Amino acid sequence: MWIKAVAPQKQYKVLGSVLAVLMLACQPVWAGWSFQSPWKAAAKPAFTRQIPASKIEKILRDRVYLTRQRVPRVPDAWQHFVAAEDLPVKRITEWNTRQGFKSPYDDLPFWSMLSEKERHNYFLAANNRAVRKVINERMQAAQKIRQHLKELWNAKLSFPSQSYNQLLLQAISPETPYILLGEEHDFQAIQMFVIDFLQAYRQKYPERQIVFLTEFLPAEEDYSKVLQSMLQQDPAYGQVMLWALTHGIYVKGLEMPHIFFQNAWVESEPTFGKNCELYNMWVLPEGIRLRNRFWLQEIKKWREQYPQAVFIIYAGMEHVAYNTPFSIAKELPAADTFVVQMLPPFGDQTISYELDKIGGRQYPFERYNILSWNPPFLRRLAGFDIRLRLPSGSK
């Protein structure tokens, strides 16, 4: 049952509110990316005075406009490297910030003083800055692949005929503490393979402590109700969680509970010849940044509790690829991380990433069921250490 927001007060007694808003709104989007946010240090109170709510509203409204003006135009030739949700949005259509859930902005010293509308504008301005970073990084990543395209094609490895499980177990060093399983969502063959891999890994290393961390569960202690609902509404994912829980694997949710349980939607601007569309707010660039920052905090927390365990992290590919903005793989030790990209079979529903789009017909990477390279540099360019296209029933 959703609770309506309380109408904002007309005036706020603010400690340095205008200064804080201006300083924080001007911060680059990647500020605050560390486990201990620098926001708090940046906004020390400077004065006390009565500030009309309309004044704060105008500051944040202007900030939305200014940050939108600074978003670079995506050239026509580069549009297929930038998804529609990577672009600025028109407005937030649904986000009840006073619903009782903890907000990802609660550590900002002035957040509690803002009205619902002001909070929406703060997010929109932050998202515009994140959009700017995402567009620049996506085009840079695509440019690097293009520069090394022939090398990527010629250096790709050949693999003997064997099960995907055995291939993957051979490719991952026994000492690797972080195995990142990045998927394209909602393909049952992928969820079946995750169970197969967990089983094979458990059989090969029966004494090893395994911590399974996932986007598909909230970061809370009791998963019983969530799992029961998941088994009914999304059984493929539910079976993954159930198998891990019942086979001696520690299962930990990564997602912020308020994102997991709360509806939040935005309306896009008409772009790339498309009409306005509705998107989940948390798949936008600022949403990904906030979520990945929280995930890293959770990973750090569990690493302190399980220092010798192997961490198998299961999430969408955008969160874990080496070449995506705000990726958690970039923040983990390079020598300790192995990224697996899991896709449906070619022709079932073709899913293309930068490597496939740039390779095109001349270098048809997407037709290969298994892709990998020996040089770490090429793996980082491609975004993964190994990619598997998984036919139904594969093991």
Side-chain angles (χ1 to χ4, degrees):
M1 179 178 181
W2 305 117
I3 302 172
K4 293 183 180 179
V6 179
Q9 297 177 356
K10 295 300 181 182
Q11 288 189 330
Y12 300 89
K13 187 175 182 181
V14 179
L15 294 177
S17 59
V18 174
L19 179 61
V21 170
L22 287 175
M23 289 179 67
L24 292 168
C26 291
Q27 287 283 341
V29 70
W30 50 91
W33 181 239
S34 63
F35 290 135
Q36 189 172 17
S37 174
W39 294 119
K40 296 177 182 178
K44 294 180 180 179
F47 55 87
T48 302
R49 55 182 290 190
Q50 295 286 334
I51 304 294
S54 59
K55 180 69 172 179
I56 298 176
E57 285 183 11
K58 184 178 185 306
I59 292 172
L60 289 169
R61 188 171 60 248
D62 290 348
R63 184 55 53 187
V64 173
Y65 174 79
L66 290 172
T67 54
R68 177 64 182 88
Q69 297 303 110
R70 293 170 184 164
V71 172
R73 179 186 174 275
V74 181
D76 293 343
W78 293 90
Q79 287 183 4
H80 56 300
F81 297 114
V82 178
E85 58 266 29
D86 288 339
L87 300 173
V89 295
K90 179 187 288 187
R91 63 191 179 96
I92 295 174
T93 63
E94 182 180 359
W95 182 31
N96 188 339
T97 67
R98 302 187 183 278
Q99 209 167 41
F101 293 108
K102 180 176 172 59
S103 162
Y105 295 118
D106 279 352
D107 59 342
L108 302 183
F110 61 87
W111 184 252
S112 63
M113 306 172 190
L114 301 183
S115 69
E116 186 97 338
K117 182 177 180 181
E118 290 159 1
R119 291 180 178 188
H120 286 194
N121 281 337
Y122 185 89
F123 179 92
L124 291 174
N127 189 61
N128 287 341
R129 293 193 298 274
V131 165
R132 182 180 180 183
K133 179 176 173 62
V134 165
I135 289 174
N136 289 332
E137 285 199 10
R138 289 206 189 282
M139 291 195 293
Q140 290 169 9
Q143 186 62 38
K144 288 180 182 178
I145 289 176
R146 184 165 288 169
Q147 291 170 355
H148 296 273
L149 190 59
K150 189 173 183 180
E151 185 180 358
L152 282 160
W153 180 258
N154 292 333
K156 64 186 185 300
L157 299 176
S158 298
F159 295 90
S161 178
Q162 59 182 318
S163 72
Y164 281 11
N165 274 333
Q166 293 306 312
L167 184 152
L168 196 52
L169 288 173
Q170 292 174 16
I172 301 172
S173 168
E175 289 76 34
T176 300
Y178 295 102
I179 302 171
L180 279 56
L181 304 179
E183 72 159 17
E184 188 66 33
H185 291 326
D186 298 321
F187 288 92
Q188 188 173 359
I190 294 176
Q191 286 89 61
M192 291 172 58
F193 177 74
V194 172
I195 295 176
D196 294 337
F197 174 70
L198 290 175
Q199 185 175 16
Y201 195 92
R202 166 56 78 208
Q203 290 174 349
K204 184 171 183 178
Y205 305 106
E207 304 302 321
R208 182 163 298 172
Q209 198 174 51
I210 302 174
V211 179
F212 184 72
L213 304 104
T214 179
E215 165 186 6
F216 307 110
L217 287 174
E220 57 181 32
E221 293 299 319
D222 184 8
Y223 301 128
S224 56
K225 292 183 179 179
V226 173
L227 182 58
Q228 184 178 5
S229 175
M230 186 180 290
L231 286 168
Q232 294 175 351
Q233 300 179 19
D234 211 343
Y237 286 100
Q239 289 298 329
V240 175
M241 311 308 155
L242 183 61
W243 193 95
L245 282 166
T246 55
H247 286 80
I249 293 175
Y250 298 101
V251 176
K252 309 295 180 184
L254 288 175
E255 196 62 271
M256 286 183 278
H258 84 281
I259 289 177
F260 194 89
F261 293 110
Q262 182 187 38
N263 289 325
W265 297 92
V266 297
E267 182 181 0
S268 70
E269 296 179 357
T271 51
F272 298 165
K274 296 182 179 180
N275 296 325
C276 297
E277 296 183 53
L278 289 180
Y279 292 105
N280 186 305
M281 195 170 97
W282 304 112
V283 304
L284 302 180
E286 174 66 356
I288 297 293
R289 184 188 77 85
L290 291 168
R291 293 167 66 196
N292 286 7
R293 182 184 68 172
F294 180 83
W295 294 10
L296 285 166
Q297 293 170 346
E298 291 296 297
I299 292 168
K300 180 182 179 182
K301 178 183 73 176
W302 293 121
R303 177 54 74 193
E304 291 172 353
Q305 185 167 337
Y306 302 102
Q308 303 303 319
V310 59
F311 279 23
I312 299 178
I313 302 170
Y314 177 38
M317 192 62 196
E318 282 292 304
H319 296 279
V320 302
Y322 291 125
N323 60 0
T324 52
F326 314 120
S327 167
I328 63 174
K330 294 178 181 178
E331 304 300 317
L332 297 173
D336 295 339
T337 305
F338 191 96
V339 175
V340 184
Q341 185 180 72
M342 303 178 297
L343 299 182
F346 179 76
D348 179 357
Q349 180 174 339
T350 302
I351 306 296
S352 296
Y353 286 84
E354 282 81 355
L355 184 64
D356 307 306
K357 295 171 184 175
I358 297 170
R361 295 183 178 179
Q362 185 178 7
Y363 301 107
F365 291 101
E366 64 185 358
R367 293 182 178 272
Y368 280 76
N369 288 333
I370 307 170
L371 271 179
S372 188
W373 301 264
N374 280 327
F377 170 70
L378 295 180
R379 295 180 175 200
R380 296 268 161 172
L381 277 182
F384 51 84
D385 292 290
I386 193 169
R387 183 168 84 180
L388 305 175
R389 283 195 176 273
L390 300 164
S392 298
S394 63
K395 291 192 175 184

